[in-house]
Amino acid sequence: MRILVTGGTGFIGSNTCVELMKNGHEVIIVDNLYNSKIDVLEKIENITGQMPRFYQTDILDHDGLESVFKIHSFDAVIHFAGYKAVGESVEKPLLYYRNNIAGSINLYEIMHKYQVKKLVFSSSATVYGDDFEVPFKEEYGLGTTTNPYGTTKKMNEMIISDMGYADPEISSVILRYFNPIGADETGLLGEHPNGIPNNLVPYIAQVVSGQRDYLRVWGDDYDTPDGTGVRDYIHVVDLARAHVKAIEYAAEHIGTEVINIGTGKGYSVLEVLHAYEKACGKEIPYKIMDRRPGDIAVCYADTKKAKELLGFEAEYDIDKMCQDSYRFTQNSI
Ligand code: WQD
């Protein structure tokens, strides 16, 4: 299939492009390079032997985005493009609503105009909020989000569902990611956050590379085995492979499906830290701090639907995730 990948030079987007190309799909990328670098294109070529077509455009630029649809007739779209920093979204809600909602509506309107009816959307487990018991199940629906970033994911899910009611020929698969970490095994496509990393593993990576003195552990008084927060970490290449399954499923079906993409297993902050120590062969200093506002204690996926509908199961464990993250970090120094 010829697939438009918005946000395709990003951490998850670029790994997904590699897996799509490895499976014989033609990939065309649009990205505004707000949170990624153009050299990712050469890295994709390095891994796959092909350079994907790239257009530096913003989903907020309606004409710029439409011009890509005038050049290429797409079979499907995988929509990653969006701002994703939870903390920043609390400080700058309108920036997030404009970009993640108005930008997405631009895309959906242009897809409608050019009759592109297959969509995979990058959603997040954050839409469950803190309303439900773990493991989180898709049928729980949308919870109470605790930040504008999460709310934009929730609103996109609602918009996509409504699009499906209006046009039953539309086929959308909404993937709710848990915690993507790691890098491809060449160590070329990893996570390079701008500024101080909000997320756990990129921050640990910067402690290991000497950019940070120690990891701040946000709370050790949760109701978990070691008191620290538990999350469902999934290798970014496993997540990328799930997108290949999802877009191929969308090509064969109609309607809207919501699917969790996780491992179904939770790891605590300290378990991840010790796995990273094993991967890098160094002790990683940390300090226990107060809880981070908005954090929940435990979050992990029910993965039955991904297995039943997509035939998807995560392959890689936390050690592989940390090994591949560390290799990327070493390559980036
Ligand atoms: C994981 C655990 C922290 C940093 C968020 C978004 C989600 C998705 C993934 C985009 C928690 C602890 C973290 C640190 C720490 N984002 N931690 N010290 O909050 O589960 O999910 O990122 O798609 O939508 O909500 O991920 O990596 O920030 O935190 O102790 O420096 O690590 O308290 O328990 P989170 P995270």
Side-chain angles (χ1 to χ4, degrees):
M1 287 192 282
R2 177 176 296 124
I3 302 167
L4 172 69
V5 180
T6 74
T9 53
F11 170 45
I12 303 168
S14 56
N15 277 286
T16 299
C17 288
V18 164
E19 294 305 317
L20 288 166
M21 293 163 78
K22 282 182 176 175
N23 282 274
H25 297 291
E26 181 188 354
V27 161
I28 285 127
I29 297 173
V30 297
D31 201 301
N32 65 2
L33 300 178
Y34 170 83
N35 195 24
S36 57
K37 296 182 174 65
I38 197 154
D39 68 356
V40 163
L41 298 173
E42 281 165 44
K43 294 178 177 179
I44 292 173
E45 185 182 31
N46 194 319
I47 297 166
T48 64
Q50 293 175 294
M51 172 69 84
R53 292 294 299 273
F54 171 72
Y55 297 88
Q56 183 172 349
T57 189
D58 195 310
I59 53 175
L60 283 170
D61 173 4
H62 190 285
D63 295 345
L65 188 58
E66 182 171 6
S67 67
V68 180
F69 281 75
K70 287 177 179 163
I71 300 167
H72 304 278
S73 62
F74 295 111
D75 300 305
V77 174
I78 300 182
H79 180 30
F80 291 104
Y83 296 156
K84 54 163 277 187
V86 170
E88 184 185 50
S89 79
V90 175
E91 290 159 25
K92 303 174 184 170
L94 291 179
L95 178 76
Y96 272 68
Y97 288 118
R98 170 156 298 284
N99 190 70
N100 292 7
I101 303 299
S104 293
I105 289 173
N106 270 347
L107 173 68
Y108 303 148
E109 285 176 334
I110 296 166
M111 286 176 68
H112 178 71
K113 180 174 178 180
Y114 290 83
Q115 292 295 289
V116 179
K117 300 200 173 204
K118 309 290 180 190
L119 170 68
V120 171
F121 175 68
S122 158
S123 190
S124 165
T126 205
V127 302
Y128 288 111
D130 199 8
D131 304 23
F132 308 107
E133 292 294 313
V134 283
F136 289 164
K137 294 180 170 64
E138 293 89 349
E139 62 263 25
Y140 288 169
L142 295 164
T144 312
T145 44
T146 56
N147 57 76
Y149 158 77
T151 303
T152 67
K153 290 299 184 184
K154 184 170 161 179
M155 291 166 87
N156 265 283
E157 290 201 16
M158 295 162 76
I159 292 166
I160 292 166
S161 296
D162 288 345
M163 284 158 44
Y165 291 129
D167 178 355
E169 287 179 8
I170 289 176
S171 173
S172 300
V173 178
I174 293 168
L175 298 181
R176 288 180 182 162
Y177 308 162
F178 282 67
N179 289 62
I181 62 170
D184 80 291
E185 57 190 22
T186 68
L188 291 175
L189 299 177
E191 196 168 10
H192 242 312
N194 294 334
I196 302 173
N198 293 300
N199 295 139
L200 176 65
V201 170
Y203 199 101
I204 288 178
Q206 291 195 3
V207 173
V208 170
S209 63
Q211 286 170 268
R212 310 278 167 204
D213 296 333
Y214 56 85
L215 172 70
R216 299 161 304 174
V217 176
W218 300 128
D220 69 344
D221 57 349
Y222 287 104
D223 182 14
T224 63
D226 64 17
T228 63
V230 169
R231 296 292 184 275
D232 183 335
Y233 298 94
I234 180 166
H235 197 294
V236 65
V237 174
D238 269 329
L239 180 58
R241 289 180 182 143
H243 284 77
V244 179
K245 298 262 190 192
I247 201 72
E248 291 173 354
Y249 176 90
E252 301 299 319
H253 296 81
I254 55 172
T256 304
E257 291 293 351
V258 176
I259 303 176
N260 289 334
I261 302 297
T263 64
K265 181 168 173 37
Y267 290 97
S268 75
V269 175
L270 292 180
E271 284 174 323
V272 175
L273 180 127
H274 294 319
Y276 216 105
E277 287 178 328
K278 215 161 75 177
C280 69
K282 301 177 200 169
E283 196 174 328
I284 301 171
Y286 67 90
K287 278 184 188 168
I288 303 294
M289 318 295 278
D290 290 338
R291 292 182 177 191
R292 180 172 66 176
D295 271 355
I296 63 176
V298 182
C299 172
Y300 58 86
D302 179 297
T303 57
K304 278 196 279 302
K305 189 171 180 182
K307 176 92 173 98
E308 286 163 7
L309 228 55
L310 304 180
F312 172 78
E313 264 185 315
E315 283 176 52
Y316 296 140
D317 65 12
I318 195 70
D319 290 329
K320 169 84 172 148
M321 294 179 217
C322 292
Q323 288 155 13
D324 291 345
S325 168
Y326 179 53
R327 185 181 304 111
F328 171 73
T329 306
Q330 292 297 92
N331 285 349
S332 307
I333 294 174

